[in-house]
Amino acid sequence: MGLDIGSVRIGVASSDPDGILATPLSVVRRTDEPAALRTLREIIDEYEPIELLIGDPKSLDGAARAAAATALEFARRISVATSTPIRLVDERFTTVEAHHALAAAGKNSRQRREIVDAQAAVIILQNALEFEHNTGEPAGRAMPDEESQQ
C-alpha cells in the first residue's frame, strides 16, 4: 500500500496481490489527525498490506524538506496505530507527475485538487513496485527510529 502524506490530505493507493499494478484507493483528510489515523487504520485493516510505502519528502538535492519531519512523525503514528512495517520512498516530482496525468485524463484543476494525493500515492507505490521487480531489492529505506530521524 502506498501513502502520500500531505499537510492537508493523505493519498492512499493499493496494488493487486501480485504487486504489479497500483491503483488509487482514497484521499483521507488530515485536518482532524485522530480521525485520519482511525480512517487509515480501517483501510489498512481491510486491505492487510505487507508493508506501507510512504513518500519521503526531499528537496531536489536530496536534503530533507521542512515537511519531512512532519510527514515522518505522522508516519510513526501510523506505524504505532497499525503495526505495519513502513518503508520511505523518494517522492520527488510525484505530485507534479500526478497533476500532469490527471490533466491528460481531462480533469480540471478543481477535480485534480481533490484526487491528486491519491494519484501521487499511486505513483509512489508503482515506482516502488517496479524498482523491486527490476532489482529484487526493496524500494526506499526502512523508516528510521526516532533517535536517527534522517
Side-chain angles (χ1 to χ4, degrees):
M1 182 170 284
L3 300 178
D4 177 46
I5 299 175
S7 59
V8 177
R9 291 177 293 272
I10 302 160
V12 183
S14 70
S15 73
D16 61 288
D18 294 324
I20 295 176
L21 183 63
T23 56
L25 274 182
S26 68
V27 175
V28 176
R29 295 230 175 257
R30 193 173 165 195
T31 50
D32 178 352
E33 289 202 1
L37 276 172
R38 281 192 302 276
T39 301
L40 288 170
R41 187 173 43 239
E42 289 168 4
I43 293 169
I44 292 165
D45 286 348
E46 178 182 346
Y47 283 84
E48 299 178 333
I50 296 168
E51 65 185 349
L52 300 176
L53 298 162
I54 296 180
D56 192 6
K58 303 273 186 179
S59 64
L60 292 179
D61 66 2
R65 296 189 334 223
T70 304
L72 188 59
E73 177 54 38
F74 196 74
R76 280 198 179 89
R77 289 210 227 120
I78 293 168
S79 177
V80 168
T82 66
S83 300
T84 304
I86 292 177
R87 295 194 63 78
L88 301 174
V89 180
D90 188 350
E91 69 167 24
R92 286 178 278 190
F93 301 113
T94 57
T95 300
V96 171
E97 201 176 321
H99 273 290
H100 286 300
L102 292 170
K107 302 291 183 187
N108 66 36
S109 62
R110 183 175 180 180
Q111 292 168 322
R112 289 194 307 259
R113 185 175 29 247
E114 292 303 312
I115 59 174
V116 70
D117 300 291
Q119 186 64 32
V122 166
I123 294 166
I124 290 166
L125 180 55
Q126 190 67 51
N127 288 344
L129 292 172
E130 289 172 6
F131 179 87
E132 188 166 331
H133 284 289
N134 290 334
T135 67
E137 299 291 325
R141 62 187 175 104
M143 191 167 69
D145 56 26
E146 289 188 57
E147 291 80 43
S148 61
Q149 290 241 343
Q150 294 182 11

